[in-house]
Amino acid sequence: STLFPYTTLFRSSDNSPLAAVPWECLFIPRHRVFAGQTLKFSIVREIADPARLVSLRTGGPLRILLVEASPAELPILGVEQEIQLIDKSLALALADGSVRIEVVRAATKESVLHALRTFSPHVFHFVGHGGVQDGRGVVLLVNDHGKSDPVPAEDMGLMLQDYGILIADPARLVSLRTGGPGDQPGWIGD
């Protein structure tokens, strides 16, 4: 490849119609990959007014819970790449102890509940499949056999609320990165 080992896409203008484009979804035909799914590309957005940012006090290290669920019967979503990218992006903060990351792999409802209870995260980051089933939004965790276990959005919301994630606290964040499970009957894309 004639590309540099790593490429940074940098956008600094909010006045452009391109400001709202989700650059992570930019498809790079030459490499047959979306920019947000590879470690070779980095998306950087300039913060217009960094003085307005608020310093959050978490009472210790920032705890990030990464939850991945890849049901065996569904397409692979590049979960490992995303976890590596997050680890690499936070390497300095991890090294100095200001951030802790716990990863729940092949997440079941029970393993997510256990991690929420014992790790008490500030950030909940889900990577996996999601969509709409029977008119309801769902996140797909896995069952004991590694197959899809649809969890309605309302149930997931209650799980997060019960453990203090979905509360009116600026030191809490939920991030759901889902891909649709393809063209299975009864599913609507994200």
Side-chain angles (χ1 to χ4, degrees):
S1 168
T2 59
L3 264 182
F4 295 104
Y6 297 96
T7 301
T8 300
L9 302 173
F10 183 79
R11 184 191 63 74
S12 64
S13 172
D14 288 330
N15 297 328
S16 166
L18 295 176
V21 171
W23 290 96
E24 294 82 358
C25 297
L26 179 68
F27 187 71
I28 314 295
R30 180 177 185 175
H31 300 283
R32 297 187 312 272
V33 67
F34 289 94
Q37 290 187 309
T38 178
L39 296 175
K40 294 196 181 275
F41 293 94
S42 174
I43 311 298
V44 178
R45 290 181 175 82
E46 182 178 90
I47 299 172
D49 187 2
R52 291 186 182 177
L53 294 179
V54 176
S55 175
L56 298 176
R57 308 240 187 272
T58 61
L62 179 70
R63 294 179 304 277
I64 301 172
L65 180 62
L66 291 174
V67 175
E68 75 83 10
S70 300
E73 75 276 16
L74 298 177
I76 297 172
L77 293 176
V79 170
E80 286 306 315
Q81 282 185 318
E82 181 152 344
I83 292 171
Q84 289 173 8
L85 183 60
I86 290 168
D87 282 342
K88 183 178 177 180
S89 299
L90 297 173
L92 292 175
L94 288 165
D96 73 13
S98 59
V99 172
R100 287 183 48 215
I101 296 178
E102 182 166 321
V103 179
V104 177
R105 296 182 185 279
T108 63
K109 285 183 232 175
E110 293 77 20
S111 65
V112 171
L113 286 170
H114 177 76
L116 288 169
R117 183 177 60 253
T118 59
F119 189 61
S120 187
H122 299 102
V123 177
F124 178 90
H125 182 70
F126 173 81
V127 183
H129 288 277
V132 177
Q133 186 177 42
D134 299 325
R136 297 173 69 191
V138 296
V139 170
L140 296 180
L141 297 180
V142 296
N143 62 24
D144 293 333
H145 305 290
K147 302 283 186 174
S148 298
D149 184 11
V151 177
E154 298 86 4
D155 294 353
M156 181 63 78
L158 287 173
M159 286 170 54
L160 296 172
Q161 183 176 338
D162 286 349
Y163 289 97
I165 302 296
L166 291 181
I167 57 175
D169 181 349
R172 304 291 176 169
L173 173 69
V174 174
S175 169
L176 304 175
R177 188 183 74 74
T178 63
D183 53 1
Q184 293 184 357
W187 286 89
I188 299 172
D190 299 324

